[in-house]
Structure formats: structure tokens, C-alpha cells
Amino acid sequence: MMISATEAAASRVQAFLSKRGKGIGLRLGVKTTGCSGLAYKLEFVDSSNSDDEMFESNGIKIFVDQKSLKYLDGTVLDYTKEGLQEGFKFTNPNVKDECGCGESFTV
């Protein structure tokens, strides 16, 4: 099992944590929603949970709960800026289909 972050994503997470003034990393998970079934969720982590799997990549810690891990194995978190659009991008090898708006996916 593996989750990783690009240098751009890691740099952005470190900047957010620094500005926030606390936190040990980022939690990546999935939630049931949208027209395709699953959507990504991101949140800062101040302390890990007992069921978390922790991955270190480019100097940041990424925490994933056991339920989400099966949907996220192999995912690479990136941060992109294209014109006025910027944000985190997920490259997930488990995705079989995405909704038209790009907010949700199926595995």
C-alpha cells in the first residue's frame, strides 16, 4: 500500500501547516457523495487516530483511515495552478469512471 505527494503538493501542505501554526500532516480520505459515488476529502491532522495508516512523502505525513485506504492505494497527490484555477489534484489508479463535473468517482 502506498500514497504519495509530489513536491508541489508537499510544499503547499507545508505552507498551509505553517500558516495554520499547528498540525502534523494531512488526512486523505473518501466520502460517499456526488453522482458517481465517492469524493476525496482532505483535512489537517493534529493527532493521528489508532486506525490510521501513515505515509511520508517529500517531507510531509499523509494519514489515511483503513476504510479509505482500499480506494486510495497508489494515489499521488499533486498541486496544480493553471490560469485562475489552482488546487490539489489526485492521480488514483483505482478510478474506473468520474462524473462529468469531476467531483466524484467510482472504483
Side-chain angles (χ1 to χ4, degrees):
M1 297 279 185
M2 185 63 182
I3 309 290
S4 61
T6 64
E7 287 183 31
S11 176
R12 192 65 175 172
V13 169
Q14 289 169 337
F16 278 131
L17 289 172
S18 178
K19 185 175 181 178
R20 188 171 177 255
K22 64 178 179 175
I24 60 171
L26 185 72
R27 181 177 310 285
L28 174 58
V30 296
K31 61 182 176 180
T32 304
T33 188
C35 39
S36 289
L38 297 171
Y40 299 105
K41 63 179 181 177
L42 288 173
E43 59 189 21
F44 296 111
V45 176
D46 293 327
S47 62
S48 64
N49 298 329
S50 61
D51 71 334
D52 281 341
E53 192 77 32
M54 194 266 296
F55 303 93
E56 289 192 56
S57 180
N58 281 312
I60 64 167
K61 293 179 181 177
I62 304 168
F63 297 87
V64 181
D65 65 88
Q66 292 299 314
K67 178 185 162 232
S68 297
L69 191 55
K70 63 184 173 185
Y71 302 111
L72 298 173
D73 184 30
T75 296
V76 177
L77 178 65
D78 193 9
Y79 189 83
T80 61
K81 185 173 184 178
E82 297 171 11
L84 297 176
Q85 301 278 339
E86 67 180 294
F88 288 103
K89 178 182 175 183
F90 305 90
T91 303
N92 184 342
N94 304 300
V95 171
K96 301 296 182 221
D97 197 19
E98 294 179 319
C99 68
C101 63
E103 292 295 318
S104 61
F105 64 94
T106 57
V107 292

